[in-house]
Amino acid sequence: MLPLKLPIGALVEAAVEWSLDRFDVTFRAVSDGLDTAVAALQDVLLSAPPWLLIAVLAALARLVAGWGVAARGVAGLLIIDSIGLWEPTWETFSLVVVAEILVVVIGLPLGILASHNDWVDRSLRPVLDFMQTMPSFVYLIPAVMLFGLGTVPGVLAPVVFALPPLVRLTNLGIRQVPSDLVEAGEAFGSSPWQMLAKIQLPVALPTIMAGVNQSIMMALSMVVIAAMIGAGGLGAEVLRGIQRLQIGSGFEAGLAVV
């Protein structure tokens, strides 16, 4: 009996071509919107003098996390400026910020929905497993086919790659809210929205923020890989160092990523 060869690749290509034919206007609108958002953020960040941006970020770090984090942040930014990677650093930062906003906008509602509906949870689980298991380079292919080379696929590929941790940890955090707190909210007549906003989300916030942290790390790693399709930023510097066997410049770009 001859082995049956499934035309999975041909089916995927046909699906992408069909999507391009049917939703070309939508893809163009999404592409223009994301390109504008990334470019606008880059312009704002790069228009400020380095000393001013460092001072503002140091003040924010001090407010949120204390003097230690602020001092390390200032030291890191000074190193980035001194090795000549200031501009590509903020190009990468802009890509990650826009990608992470999309991850939160999509992933947080999905996690909340999965935490309240077992059928949604069971349905999402294999999809999230697939998304996390698929090699990261594979996400670049449909992104390029749908949006071409450049900034936009460099944003959307990280979104797909970084989405699962936030969905999973949001779901987990809300499910782990103590039942006595939920019962107390019900006893006081809380509506489902009040229960979510005033009890479940505040209690689950540390777990949700862990999901945000993990998604940021994954988005950052994917943005570096996305330099292969013209995303630019520090990933392009890393890629250039690999191609030219310039170990020092590649290490500097990796240090700036960290």
Side-chain angles (χ1 to χ4, degrees), residues 13 20 22 31 39 42 65 67 75 84 90 94-95 104 117 121 127 138 155 180 185 194 198 203 242 252:
E13 291 181 4
L20 285 172
R22 293 296 184 91
S31 179
Q42 288 178 0
W67 285 108
W90 296 110
S94 300
L95 291 171
V104 172
N117 190 304
D121 181 32
V127 177
V138 177
V155 171
D180 55 343
Q194 290 173 328
K198 297 183 178 181
V203 174
I242 294 173
E252 287 178 346

Side-chain angles (χ1 to χ4, degrees), residues 82-226:
S82 67
I83 60 180
L85 292 176
W86 187 258
E87 184 172 338
T89 294
W90 296 110
E91 290 174 357
T92 296
F93 181 83
S94 300
L95 291 171
V96 172
V97 167
V98 174
E100 187 61 24
I101 289 173
L102 291 176
V103 168
V104 172
V105 168
I106 298 170
L108 194 59
L110 282 177
I112 293 172
L113 184 60
S115 69
H116 288 82
N117 190 304
D118 290 337
W119 182 87
V120 174
D121 181 32
R122 290 192 298 269
S123 301
L124 280 178
R125 196 171 301 166
V127 177
L128 298 176
D129 290 341
F130 180 86
M131 292 167 67
Q132 287 189 293
T133 308
M134 180 68 70
S136 56
F137 287 94
V138 177
Y139 291 117
L140 302 179
I141 301 172
V144 171
M145 293 181 69
L146 294 173
F147 298 98
L149 299 174
T151 300
V152 176
V155 171
L156 293 179
V159 169
V160 179
F161 188 60
L163 191 62
L166 181 58
V167 177
R168 289 184 186 278
L169 288 174
T170 300
N171 180 12
L172 178 65
I174 294 178
R175 286 179 179 272
Q176 288 183 337
V177 173
S179 58
D180 55 343
L181 293 179
V182 176
E183 292 171 359
E186 292 174 348
F188 282 100
S190 299
S191 66
W193 285 108
Q194 290 173 328
M195 183 79 69
L196 178 66
K198 297 183 178 181
I199 297 177
Q200 292 175 323
L201 286 180
V203 174
L205 188 60
T207 305
I208 295 172
M209 291 306 297
V212 171
N213 179 69
Q214 291 300 310
S215 66
I216 290 174
M217 296 298 101
M218 296 181 72
L220 188 57
S221 66
M222 190 66 188
V223 162
V224 173
I225 295 173

